[in-house]
Amino acid sequence: MPEGPEVEHLRRSLDPVVVGAFVRGVRVARRGVISIAGASAAGGRRISDLDAPLLVGSRIVATLRHGKQMALVADSGRALVVQLGMTGSVMIEPGPPPRGMDGKHRHVVWTLERADPTMPSEFRVAFRDPRRFGGLTAYGSRAELDAAWSRLGTDGLVVTGAQLRRGLGSSRRPIKAALLDQTVVAGVGNIYADESLFAASIHPLTPAGSLSAPQVGRLAREIRRILNHASDAGGSTLRDYRDAFGQPGSAVQLHAAYGREGEPCVRCKTPLQGLRMQARATVFCPRCQDLSTCRKR
DNA sequence: CTGGTCTCCTGATCGC
DNA sequence: TGCGATCAGGAGACCA
């Protein structure tokens, strides 16, 4: 499932193709995936009213990312945020539309054009999301986008110990639940929460506010390291994730905890344990991540 | 305010 | 071979 590293890698693969491109048109197959910031859902809007929010008639000047959200910024000042949810993808389509299953659930398809010898002058960019946990949110200005992103926690690829400590506060909820909260730290999802806690030797059920400053510092360091490493490896492709060119990522090979329940810990060979938290699979090493050693308060 | 649970949604996989 | 049940989970709604 796409988390910060997958979205970052998608952004990197998309950036050189879309920045500088002109948005000639858009086809909206499912209005429900679009929302307009500060307004009601786009469901009742006329399709033509969605042209400007979807950046038609403007040129894309930048791609940005915060946490699991990616934004396309246009020279009109507008910004469009893409959230991939579970199964979302943004794909560049230089040729004919994909057939079969890959051609289904393409909810929004833009036509872009650019003067570039490496691409046809006109190509499509498709937002596809079978399960529809993702969607598009249109912002009228960069300031609105910044305001929305300021309500999220610091991005996980750059989060410091002090910032993470501030985000965790004195909460007694399990540290893993806190890491999944995007207002605490943005971009950490189920996979990288497990990986980070494993790397920092912290049990997922440890009350967040009971961690010592050095423990939180180490956790922040591991989050940064793991998210950046995974981004460079192209993200974790379990099943659905692909970059803008349809390529899977190889970061699954880096996983030491996620998806390895019952397998030996890479550090101490103890079989990894599993539990469910908030209906999410959680894997940890009962020896390396011992709950009893956490600081009591 | 906080933290837990429910809900959305479809494709892959499993058991019979 | 077919088919129903189960599972995957991000994020916001909802509730105690």
Side-chain angles (χ1 to χ4, degrees):
Chain A
M1 65 257 20
E3 304 181 19
E6 289 71 38
V7 179
E8 173 60 15
H9 186 70
L10 170 67
R11 190 196 65 75
R12 292 178 192 172
S13 68
L14 200 59
D15 185 276
V17 176
V18 301
V19 170
F22 179 77
V23 185
R24 175 159 292 284
V26 69
R27 179 180 64 79
V28 177
R30 190 179 278 274
R31 269 171 290 187
V33 304
I34 301 165
S35 53
I36 310 293
S40 56
R45 292 184 177 236
R46 294 201 309 265
I47 290 282
S48 59
D49 292 340
L50 293 174
D51 275 358
L54 293 176
L55 312 184
V56 172
S58 57
R59 194 169 294 277
I60 295 174
V61 294
T63 63
L64 305 173
R65 183 195 59 81
H66 188 94
K68 304 173 189 174
Q69 301 187 19
M70 179 178 69
L72 305 176
V73 183
D75 60 2
S76 62
R78 292 178 180 271
L80 184 66
V81 161
V82 179
Q83 286 199 263
L84 299 180
M86 285 285 292
T87 55
S89 66
V90 176
M91 209 77 83
I92 294 164
E93 299 177 351
R99 303 197 171 275
M101 203 54 93
D102 287 346
K104 285 183 66 181
H105 309 297
R106 289 158 69 255
H107 307 311
V108 179
V109 182
W110 294 265
T111 304
L112 274 63
E113 68 177 24
R114 65 178 301 153
D116 183 339
T118 66
M119 293 284 295
S121 63
E122 202 167 271
F123 59 98
R124 291 182 309 282
V125 172
F127 172 68
R128 181 173 178 269
D129 186 14
R131 215 170 292 177
R132 304 211 298 273
F133 281 18
L136 308 176
T137 306
Y139 292 88
S141 68
R142 180 66 193 273
E144 284 181 33
L145 173 67
D146 290 343
W149 279 2
S150 73
R151 289 189 280 274
L152 298 173
T154 308
D155 184 75
L157 276 85
V158 295
V159 68
T160 66
Q163 288 166 332
L164 183 57
R165 206 160 58 241
R166 209 173 308 133
L168 296 175
S170 58
S171 167
R172 284 185 301 277
R173 67 177 154 168
I175 181 63
K176 177 167 176 184
L179 290 182
L180 294 176
D181 182 343
Q182 299 299 296
T183 67
V184 171
V185 53
V188 177
N190 197 44
I191 294 171
Y192 298 112
D194 279 8
E195 294 300 317
S196 303
L197 290 169
F198 175 83
S201 297
I202 296 170
H203 193 289
L205 292 176
T206 311
S210 75
L211 292 168
S212 68
Q215 278 181 305
V216 176
R218 181 177 178 193
L219 180 55
R221 200 159 56 241
E222 295 297 349
I223 291 171
R224 287 197 307 271
R225 182 180 67 78
I226 286 168
L227 264 52
N228 280 288
H229 200 175
S231 299
D232 293 341
S236 299
T237 298
L238 297 180
R239 179 178 303 153
D240 297 299
Y241 173 72
R242 297 288 188 277
D243 71 14
F245 295 98
Q247 296 301 308
S250 63
V252 170
Q253 296 169 19
L254 305 172
H255 296 176
Y258 182 85
R260 298 193 66 244
E261 179 179 353
E263 296 178 37
C265 169
V266 297
R267 285 190 299 238
C268 73
K269 311 299 182 210
T270 304
L272 298 182
Q273 269 182 26
L275 59 82
R276 311 270 314 164
M277 184 182 303
Q278 299 178 336
R280 287 171 179 84
T282 299
V283 181
F284 65 101
C285 173
R287 182 163 165 198
C288 297
Q289 299 165 263
D290 188 353
L291 187 56
S292 68
T293 62
C294 81
R295 199 182 66 169
K296 302 294 192 294
R297 32 173 246 147

